[in-house]
Short mmCIF file of all heavy atoms in Angstrom, two decimals:
data_model
loop_
_atom_site.label_atom_id
_atom_site.label_comp_id
_atom_site.label_asym_id
_atom_site.label_seq_id
_atom_site.Cartn_x
_atom_site.Cartn_y
_atom_site.Cartn_z
N ILE A 1 116.52 105.07 123.81
CA ILE A 1 117.03 103.72 123.54
C ILE A 1 117.65 103.13 124.80
O ILE A 1 117.71 101.92 124.97
CB ILE A 1 118.07 103.76 122.40
CG1 ILE A 1 117.42 104.34 121.13
CG2 ILE A 1 118.62 102.39 122.10
CD1 ILE A 1 118.39 104.53 119.99
N LEU A 2 118.07 103.97 125.71
CA LEU A 2 118.79 103.50 126.89
C LEU A 2 117.95 102.63 127.81
O LEU A 2 118.48 101.86 128.60
CB LEU A 2 119.32 104.70 127.70
CG LEU A 2 120.35 105.56 126.98
CD1 LEU A 2 120.71 106.77 127.82
CD2 LEU A 2 121.60 104.76 126.68
N VAL A 3 116.63 102.77 127.71
CA VAL A 3 115.76 102.01 128.62
C VAL A 3 115.22 100.74 127.97
O VAL A 3 114.31 100.12 128.50
CB VAL A 3 114.59 102.88 129.10
CG1 VAL A 3 115.09 104.00 129.98
CG2 VAL A 3 113.80 103.43 127.93
N ALA A 4 115.78 100.36 126.83
CA ALA A 4 115.32 99.13 126.17
C ALA A 4 115.91 97.93 126.87
O ALA A 4 117.01 97.51 126.58
CB ALA A 4 115.74 99.14 124.70
N LEU A 5 115.19 97.35 127.81
CA LEU A 5 115.78 96.34 128.68
C LEU A 5 115.17 94.95 128.50
O LEU A 5 115.88 93.97 128.39
CB LEU A 5 115.62 96.77 130.15
CG LEU A 5 116.30 98.10 130.49
CD1 LEU A 5 115.99 98.46 131.93
CD2 LEU A 5 117.80 98.00 130.28
N ALA A 6 113.86 94.81 128.54
CA ALA A 6 113.26 93.48 128.54
C ALA A 6 111.85 93.54 128.02
O ALA A 6 111.23 94.58 127.99
CB ALA A 6 113.26 92.90 129.95
N GLY A 7 111.33 92.37 127.60
CA GLY A 7 109.95 92.33 127.14
C GLY A 7 109.78 91.36 126.00
O GLY A 7 110.71 90.72 125.54
N CYS A 8 108.57 91.27 125.49
CA CYS A 8 108.27 90.32 124.43
C CYS A 8 108.39 90.99 123.07
O CYS A 8 108.39 92.20 122.95
CB CYS A 8 106.87 89.77 124.61
SG CYS A 8 105.59 91.04 124.55
N ARG A 9 108.48 90.17 122.03
CA ARG A 9 108.53 90.68 120.66
C ARG A 9 107.20 91.34 120.34
O ARG A 9 106.14 90.76 120.53
CB ARG A 9 108.79 89.53 119.69
CG ARG A 9 108.70 89.93 118.23
CD ARG A 9 109.06 88.78 117.33
NE ARG A 9 110.47 88.51 117.37
CZ ARG A 9 111.36 89.08 116.55
NH1 ARG A 9 110.96 89.97 115.66
NH2 ARG A 9 112.64 88.77 116.63
N PRO A 10 107.22 92.59 119.84
CA PRO A 10 105.97 93.29 119.54
C PRO A 10 105.29 92.70 118.31
O PRO A 10 105.92 92.13 117.44
CB PRO A 10 106.43 94.72 119.27
CG PRO A 10 107.85 94.60 118.84
CD PRO A 10 108.40 93.42 119.58
N HIS A 11 103.99 92.89 118.25
CA HIS A 11 103.20 92.42 117.12
C HIS A 11 102.41 93.60 116.58
O HIS A 11 101.95 94.45 117.32
CB HIS A 11 102.26 91.28 117.53
CG HIS A 11 103.00 90.07 118.01
ND1 HIS A 11 103.51 89.12 117.15
CD2 HIS A 11 103.31 89.65 119.26
CE1 HIS A 11 104.11 88.17 117.84
NE2 HIS A 11 104.01 88.47 119.13
N GLY A 12 102.23 93.65 115.28
CA GLY A 12 101.49 94.74 114.68
C GLY A 12 100.65 94.24 113.52
O GLY A 12 100.53 93.04 113.25
N ASN A 13 100.08 95.19 112.80
CA ASN A 13 99.19 94.91 111.69
C ASN A 13 99.94 95.05 110.38
O ASN A 13 100.31 96.15 109.98
CB ASN A 13 98.00 95.88 111.74
CG ASN A 13 97.12 95.77 110.52
OD1 ASN A 13 97.08 94.74 109.85
ND2 ASN A 13 96.39 96.85 110.22
N THR A 14 100.15 93.96 109.68
CA THR A 14 100.88 94.01 108.41
C THR A 14 100.02 94.61 107.30
O THR A 14 100.53 94.87 106.21
CB THR A 14 101.34 92.61 107.98
OG1 THR A 14 100.20 91.78 107.81
CG2 THR A 14 102.28 92.01 109.01
N GLN A 15 98.74 94.84 107.58
CA GLN A 15 97.83 95.38 106.56
C GLN A 15 97.58 96.87 106.74
O GLN A 15 96.64 97.41 106.16
CB GLN A 15 96.49 94.62 106.61
CG GLN A 15 96.62 93.12 106.46
CD GLN A 15 97.30 92.72 105.17
OE1 GLN A 15 96.98 93.23 104.11
NE2 GLN A 15 98.24 91.79 105.25
N ASN A 16 98.39 97.55 107.52
CA ASN A 16 98.23 99.00 107.71
C ASN A 16 98.22 99.69 106.35
O ASN A 16 99.17 99.56 105.58
CB ASN A 16 99.38 99.52 108.57
CG ASN A 16 99.22 100.99 108.95
OD1 ASN A 16 98.73 101.80 108.19
ND2 ASN A 16 99.67 101.32 110.15
N PRO A 17 97.16 100.42 106.00
CA PRO A 17 97.08 101.05 104.67
C PRO A 17 98.19 102.06 104.40
O PRO A 17 98.49 102.35 103.24
CB PRO A 17 95.70 101.71 104.68
CG PRO A 17 95.32 101.84 106.12
CD PRO A 17 95.95 100.67 106.81
N LYS A 18 98.81 102.59 105.44
CA LYS A 18 99.90 103.55 105.24
C LYS A 18 101.11 102.90 104.59
O LYS A 18 101.95 103.58 104.01
CB LYS A 18 100.30 104.17 106.58
CG LYS A 18 99.21 105.02 107.22
CD LYS A 18 99.65 105.56 108.57
CE LYS A 18 98.55 106.38 109.21
NZ LYS A 18 98.97 106.90 110.55
N PHE A 19 101.20 101.59 104.70
CA PHE A 19 102.33 100.86 104.12
C PHE A 19 101.89 99.95 102.96
O PHE A 19 102.65 99.09 102.54
CB PHE A 19 103.02 100.03 105.20
CG PHE A 19 103.41 100.84 106.40
CD1 PHE A 19 102.79 100.64 107.62
CD2 PHE A 19 104.40 101.81 106.32
CE1 PHE A 19 103.14 101.39 108.74
CE2 PHE A 19 104.76 102.56 107.42
CZ PHE A 19 104.12 102.36 108.64
N ALA A 20 100.68 100.17 102.46
CA ALA A 20 100.12 99.27 101.45
C ALA A 20 100.97 99.24 100.18
O ALA A 20 101.26 98.16 99.64
CB ALA A 20 98.69 99.69 101.12
N ALA A 21 101.38 100.41 99.71
CA ALA A 21 102.17 100.46 98.47
C ALA A 21 103.51 99.77 98.65
O ALA A 21 103.97 99.03 97.77
CB ALA A 21 102.38 101.91 98.03
N ALA A 22 104.15 100.01 99.80
CA ALA A 22 105.44 99.38 100.08
C ALA A 22 105.29 97.87 100.21
O ALA A 22 106.14 97.11 99.74
CB ALA A 22 106.03 99.95 101.37
N ALA A 23 104.20 97.44 100.83
CA ALA A 23 103.95 96.01 101.00
C ALA A 23 103.71 95.35 99.65
O ALA A 23 104.24 94.27 99.37
CB ALA A 23 102.75 95.78 101.91
N GLU A 24 102.94 96.01 98.80
CA GLU A 24 102.66 95.45 97.48
C GLU A 24 103.92 95.34 96.64
O GLU A 24 104.11 94.36 95.90
CB GLU A 24 101.62 96.31 96.76
CG GLU A 24 101.20 95.76 95.42
CD GLU A 24 100.11 96.57 94.76
OE1 GLU A 24 99.62 97.54 95.39
OE2 GLU A 24 99.74 96.25 93.61
#
């Protein structure tokens, strides 16, 4: 965590099947 300094907001896939049940 100590090296968290700068950068853009990350983007990911909201349709990842591993999280399908939680998303539903």
Side-chain angles (χ1 to χ4, degrees):
I1 301 175
L2 296 175
V3 293
L5 300 176
C8 61
R9 173 176 288 270
H11 297 278
N13 172 24
T14 60
Q15 304 302 314
N16 186 324
K18 295 178 181 179
F19 306 112
E24 183 176 356

